[in-house]
Amino acid sequence: YLATLGTGAQVFTVEMSAGTNPTLTVTISDTTPQNSTVTPTTAVFDKYAQASGYADVTAMITPRGNTLSDVTLGGTSIGSTNYSYDSTSHVLTLKKEYLATLGTRAQVFTVEMSAGTNPTLTVTISDTTPRTAPNLTATAGNRMVVLSWDTVTGATYYNVYMSEIPGVFIDTALATVTEATYQVQNLNNGTAYYFLVKAGNTGGLNVQSNEVNATPATTPAAPTNLIAVAGNGSATITFNVPSNNGGSSVIGYEVYDANKNLVGTGNSSPITVSGLKNGTTYSFTVKARNAVGESESSAPSNAVTPREPINNDDGGSTPNQPAMPASQQPASTEVVVLVNGKVENAGTAATAEVNGQQVTTIIVDEGKLQKRLDEEGTGAVITIPVSTKSQVLIGELNGRMVKNMENQQAVVEIRTEKATYTLPAGQVNIDALSKQFGTNLNLQDIKVKIEIAEPQAATVRVVEAAANQGGFSLVVPPLNFRVTAGYGERTEEISNFNIYVKRTVAIPEGVDPNRITTGVVVEADGTVRHVPTKIVMIEGKYYAEINSLTNSTYTIVWHPLEFKDIEKHWAKDAVNNMGSRMVVTGTGDELFSPDRDITRAEFAAIIVRGLGLRLETSGGSFTDVKQADWYSSAIQTAYKYGLITGYEDGSFRPNDKITREQAMLIVSKAMKLTGLSEKIAEQSASHVLGEFSDAGNVANWSLNGVADSISAGIIAGRSANSLAPKAYITRAEVATMMQRLLQKSSLINE
């Protein structure tokens, strides 16, 4: 009863039957101990060491006069090393290293106090540690790879990594996804790619998956340039291999007739189809096959009609054998020549070894060729296709054939798998050439040879050394282009032309066309010079189209260059382009000094380099240009090609600054050399220059040249209505002029 009463003095009256009632005072107190508390009473812990939840668990104890004696779990002490208690701040800490050893569930810890009811702290333990992504697989497709992997418990995202080198990956992920699959797009067919995946969540990334690789591929391109030659109940089809194998090696070819019947197979060109009916006309298509599948059909071949053998006068017979490509022909084997794409069996192939190299010569039959030329008329293109693997490939015509081709403005092409050499017959200048051999000779006795050749090892070493010294990379192996004429025991080389002559060099598969700078000539002494070059695509394959006025050893290079002081300059692109092409040079320390004026000698050197002209070594054209001067060769070359004339006193004044009108006059002469002047509409100088308020300041001697440069869009005014002809021209303006001259002449890419 007393325990139900309040604390304090309680006065009880003892009621008696008579008299004064006595009292009893009972002082009540309550010495029951106070219960301690823990705040908070719950917490969470993540066993994944990289997660934010992987941390010590802390709680505040309110002792209420009690003291901490221990912390227990399931009635057993967790040990004093697994927790700590600050008696001043009353903070209890459960250590993360200990918590990580416990199971993943709600763990109820009892905080043992000296008196009162012991409070509890419930810690819910989880483990979000991602598991290694298992079973990563890669499936290749056309320019893509599809990646798939098993989902990972606890993972909220996946990082995908890609490399072209096994075992080597950068830290930056290719992609971050939430699904267990990813499609990698825009890859290069034929290139092996390596992949791995890392699973992650809010705590970060875990270990990587297994590494896989895949090589994207598709079906190959179709074969091209089919040529069919009839035999006895058969036909032999030669063709060019696909320009693109789809990223997977071609494993065979299938030949179909016009009714799409499979009539033959083979592993390479040529393929002979037998079992044909003599007297029946056939045409054929070819498909290439790789591991992915078969290509589209090629364009149809020419139509052919197999026939019986033709009887000889001696009673025997000679089979009408098909012509085989030169790579498989014995000496003096008939081959085809194309005239405007039409097949003519007008060539004879012979292969021999010369100086350790296989040399295949295609000798063109004059009578057969002339008959076809007469049918085709003016401007015919004679193509000599050579599919042999010989290192030296030669097309041979006699002088009379060349003269007739010149009269009919014909062009001859030597076409190989690596390059095509396109030569207008008039550039041989057979009349002048014959005079070098003598008088009263027969033109048919002169043998003109047009040659594409792999250089000898010594020349290759010169090219490689030049690349190393010049700081550029070779994109294709070097090739020699050569034209010679022989009469008896004498041989003359035709090394200079009056117009730009085209050479088309195949870019190897897998080479990025954006990582090609220009074509260069490498002379025998290792001297390197730029030649105007642009990248073109022909039947789905990239080629470098080189135009030059001379023959020599050519190669294609990658030579990126950026000057530090033109990053924000208006002429940045032109300067870097011309610098990369080795047309303009810097002023030192990777600087270009774009706004500096330029001298007449410097301008002559740039115009010569830009046009790809071979330097002349002779001197004496100007009184103030000595052969020892650095600019002597450039000035002599510019003089030879009619680009400069100098002053009336016989001087050139090389160190004088060049004015805008002087530069424009020289550029107008260069336009005649590149053929650009023939493409611009004729307008009077007064009409062209009428928009400029200072047109009257243009000297009479430069008037037409200035007008031509303006009309062609090679140079503009200093402002909307000011030409500033007497002002000095800057280095940036010169680089821009050169780029525009070459672009508008279709010698380099826009």
Side-chain angles (χ1 to χ4, degrees):
Y1 164 71
L2 292 174
T4 66
L5 301 179
T7 58
Q10 299 286 350
V11 180
F12 295 90
T13 301
V14 181
E15 300 287 342
M16 302 302 292
S17 61
T20 301
N21 294 324
T23 61
L24 174 62
T25 300
V26 179
T27 301
I28 299 175
S29 64
D30 188 352
T31 61
T32 302
Q34 294 288 316
N35 291 330
S36 303
T37 60
V38 173
T39 305
T41 59
T42 61
V44 294
F45 176 77
D46 191 341
K47 296 175 70 171
Y48 178 30
Q50 297 184 35
S52 59
Y54 180 78
D56 293 339
V57 171
T58 60
M60 176 76 72
I61 297 177
T62 303
R64 292 182 177 171
N66 304 316
T67 58
L68 176 68
S69 60
D70 199 2
V71 178
T72 62
L73 178 64
T76 302
S77 173
I78 68 172
S80 60
T81 59
N82 294 323
Y83 72 91
S84 64
Y85 177 65
D86 187 331
S87 59
T88 301
S89 63
H90 304 298
V91 174
L92 172 67
T93 301
L94 301 182
K95 296 182 179 180
K96 60 187 178 183
E97 294 81 7
Y98 164 70
L99 294 174
T101 66
L102 303 179
T104 54
R105 61 180 182 274
Q107 302 283 2
V108 181
F109 295 89
T110 300
V111 181
E112 304 283 349
M113 304 300 293
S114 59
T117 302
N118 294 322
T120 60
L121 172 60
T122 300
V123 180
T124 300
I125 298 178
S126 63
D127 187 355
T128 63
T129 303
R131 304 297 182 260
T132 300
N135 300 324
L136 175 61
T137 61
T139 304
N142 182 16
R143 299 191 66 210
M144 71 176 186
V145 171
V146 178
L147 300 174
S148 299
W149 58 92
D150 293 344
T151 57
V152 177
T153 303
T156 58
Y157 66 89
Y158 304 93
N159 276 3
V160 179
Y161 299 85
M162 181 179 76
S163 174
E164 294 184 24
I165 304 173
V168 179
F169 296 87
I170 62 174
D171 293 335
T172 303
L174 172 68
T176 299
V177 297
T178 56
E179 301 296 328
T181 184
Y182 182 67
Q183 189 175 94
V184 188
Q185 302 272 10
N186 300 319
L187 301 177
N188 293 323
N189 286 335
T191 298
Y193 295 91
Y194 300 83
F195 303 92
L196 59 84
V197 170
K198 292 183 180 180
N201 57 24
T202 55
L205 293 170
N206 193 30
V207 293
Q208 67 192 38
S209 72
N210 55 302
E211 181 180 312
V212 296
N213 68 82
T215 302
T218 186
T219 56
T224 58
N225 296 329
L226 267 66
I227 299 173
V229 179
N232 180 17
S234 65
T236 297
I237 296 89
T238 61
F239 51 87
N240 288 350
V241 299
S243 58
N244 186 337
N245 65 10
S248 176
S249 298
V250 174
I251 57 178
Y253 298 90
E254 299 172 348
V255 181
Y256 294 83
D257 63 16
N259 295 320
K260 299 184 179 180
N261 297 313
L262 178 64
V263 293
T265 60
N267 294 325
S268 62
S269 172
I271 296 174
T272 298
V273 178
S274 58
L276 303 180
K277 293 182 180 180
N278 287 332
T280 300
T281 299
Y282 295 87
S283 64
F284 303 92
T285 58
V286 177
K287 293 182 179 180
R289 177 177 292 277
N290 64 9
V292 179
E294 63 183 22
S295 71
E296 296 292 328
S297 295
S298 68
S301 71
N302 54 297
V304 294
T305 305
R307 299 192 184 280
E308 294 284 347
I310 301 171
N311 290 330
N312 289 330
D313 292 340
D314 60 4
S317 64
T318 301
N320 186 15
Q321 294 291 340
M324 304 291 286
S327 59
Q328 299 185 17
Q329 293 164 348
S332 302
T333 302
E334 187 178 57
V335 295
V336 298
V337 174
L338 306 178
V339 181
N340 286 344
K342 299 176 182 178
V343 175
E344 183 68 42
N345 293 324
T348 302
T351 300
E353 184 171 324
V354 179
N355 296 326
Q357 290 183 307
Q358 289 293 111
V359 179
T360 295
T361 302
I362 309 294
I363 302 173
V364 180
D365 184 280
E366 181 179 4
K368 293 180 179 180
L369 177 62
Q370 190 58 50
K371 179 181 177 182
R372 180 66 72 176
L373 285 176
D374 292 340
E375 294 173 356
E376 295 298 320
T378 303
V381 177
I382 297 94
T383 302
I384 305 174
V386 190
S387 58
T388 176
K389 301 299 182 182
S390 295
Q391 290 85 21
V392 182
L393 308 168
I394 300 172
E396 181 181 308
L397 308 97
N398 70 47
R400 186 166 60 191
M401 295 166 64
V402 173
K403 180 61 179 177
N404 291 337
M405 291 167 61
E406 178 183 336
N407 292 337
Q408 294 180 261
Q409 300 176 30
V411 174
V412 62
E413 287 185 344
I414 306 297
R415 181 193 298 166
T416 75
E417 292 182 359
K418 294 182 178 180
T420 299
Y421 190 4
T422 304
L423 180 66
Q427 290 304 303
V428 176
N429 196 357
I430 193 66
D431 289 336
L433 189 63
S434 66
K435 293 178 181 178
Q436 297 183 41
F437 294 121
T439 58
N440 300 321
L441 51 80
N442 294 319
L443 288 180
Q444 65 265 34
D445 294 331
I446 298 175
K447 308 301 180 186
V448 177
K449 296 182 178 182
I450 306 169
E451 175 183 314
I452 301 175
E454 297 176 17
Q456 295 279 357
T459 301
V460 173
R461 287 194 293 271
V462 170
V463 174
E464 291 172 344
N468 184 58
Q469 183 175 355
F472 51 81
S473 303
L474 301 181
V475 177
V476 300
L479 288 173
N480 285 339
F481 294 86
R482 193 165 177 251
V483 181
T484 60
Y487 179 77
E489 299 297 322
R490 289 184 56 191
T491 299
E492 295 288 340
E493 184 167 353
I494 305 162
S495 57
N496 295 288
F497 306 111
N498 296 324
I499 63 172
Y500 280 89
V501 172
K502 182 171 67 176
R503 301 150 186 85
T504 308
V505 178
I507 303 302
E509 189 172 335
V511 173
D512 184 352
N514 294 314
R515 294 177 63 85
I516 296 173
T517 303
T518 187
V520 296
V521 165
V522 182
E523 305 290 6
D525 62 357
T527 303
V528 177
R529 59 184 166 93
H530 151 270
V531 279
T533 304
K534 64 180 179 180
I535 305 303
V536 297
M537 179 177 281
I538 303 173
E539 296 182 350
K541 182 176 176 62
Y542 287 105
Y543 293 84
E545 184 180 291
I546 303 172
N547 281 278
S548 175
L549 296 169
T550 57
N551 277 330
S552 191
T553 300
Y554 291 80
T555 189
I556 311 299
V557 302
W558 169 236
H559 181 246
L561 185 65
E562 293 185 356
F563 294 102
K564 293 179 179 179
D565 57 344
I566 61 167
E567 179 61 32
K568 297 182 179 180
H569 197 276
W570 63 267
K572 170 186 173 181
D573 291 341
V575 170
N576 284 337
N577 186 15
M578 292 297 98
S580 298
R581 290 176 183 269
M582 296 170 272
V583 174
V584 299
T585 57
T587 55
D589 297 325
E590 300 180 60
L591 304 178
F592 184 72
S593 307
D595 298 318
R596 199 182 79 184
D597 297 334
I598 196 167
T599 67
R600 289 167 55 81
E602 289 171 329
F603 186 83
I606 290 173
I607 199 84
V608 165
R609 288 196 295 263
L611 295 172
L613 305 181
R614 176 181 288 159
L615 291 176
E616 296 292 319
T617 56
S618 60
S621 299
F622 300 101
T623 57
D624 55 351
V625 177
K626 308 303 180 186
Q627 196 160 0
D629 294 332
W630 71 265
Y631 44 73
S632 173
S633 294
I635 290 175
Q636 298 304 330
T637 304
Y639 178 76
K640 172 188 173 181
Y641 282 94
L643 301 175
I644 59 175
T645 56
Y647 291 91
E648 293 180 354
D649 61 0
S651 67
F652 182 71
R653 304 175 193 175
N655 295 314
D656 285 0
K657 294 179 180 180
I658 191 168
T659 64
R660 285 167 54 84
E661 67 178 349
Q662 290 172 341
M664 284 188 273
L665 177 61
I666 295 173
V667 166
S668 71
K669 295 177 180 179
M671 287 166 53
K672 297 177 182 178
L673 196 59
T674 66
L676 178 59
S677 59
E678 299 174 2
K679 301 176 183 178
I680 61 174
E682 289 190 17
Q683 301 180 72
S684 67
S686 59
H687 175 76
V688 174
L689 303 180
E691 62 182 286
F692 299 106
S693 60
D694 56 351
N697 295 334
V698 178
N700 288 333
W701 52 264
S702 66
L703 194 62
N704 291 330
V706 171
D708 287 346
S709 296
I710 296 291
S711 295
I714 293 175
I715 196 168
R718 279 276 173 90
S719 65
N721 61 356
S722 175
L723 186 59
K726 305 297 184 185
Y728 296 129
I729 197 165
T730 67
R731 289 168 55 81
E733 288 175 320
V734 171
T736 304
M737 287 175 63
M738 280 309 309
Q739 177 175 267
R740 289 175 181 169
L741 171 64
L742 296 176
Q743 287 176 338
K744 292 183 180 298
S745 300
S746 297
L747 294 176
I748 66 174
N749 296 97
E750 291 284 349

